[in-house]
Amino acid sequence: MCVFFLFLVPIMGETSLGAKRWLDFGIRFQPSELTKFTLPMMLAWIVATMGIPTTWRRVLLSFIVLIIPCFLILTQPD
């Protein structure tokens, strides 16, 4: 859900202080702040269900789960 919200920021985001990084659905929030909490929990869930990544496939899955939100956050201006 956080990745979906991060994709919405360039499309529907509101600009504040010269940067578009807020969404407004009745409440105004930054999806990047929500991602700070959910991304470590998602990686912990992957490790808890699959075990420590020992194969390239599991390492790649963990990397993809990590890199997509990070890339979307990095595209937002400071």
Side-chain angles (χ1 to χ4, degrees):
M1 195 67 156
C2 287
V3 173
F4 175 71
F5 286 148
L6 287 171
F7 274 116
L8 285 180
V9 168
I11 299 166
M12 302 177 46
E14 293 191 11
T15 304
S16 177
L17 298 173
K20 185 185 273 193
R21 61 176 86 118
W22 295 85
L23 289 177
D24 189 3
F25 295 120
I27 60 167
R28 198 167 172 220
F29 70 99
Q30 284 183 316
S32 60
E33 295 297 322
L34 184 62
T35 305
K36 287 180 186 179
F37 294 106
T38 58
L39 186 60
M41 288 190 286
M42 181 65 180
L43 289 172
W45 177 78
I46 289 172
V47 170
T49 57
M50 294 184 174
I52 295 177
T54 55
T55 64
W56 283 105
R57 187 172 149 224
R58 288 183 182 171
V59 171
L60 184 62
L61 175 67
S62 299
F63 183 72
I64 289 171
V65 166
L66 179 66
I67 199 69
I68 291 173
C70 289
F71 175 74
L72 291 171
I73 291 171
L74 286 174
T75 59
Q76 298 175 4
D78 286 339

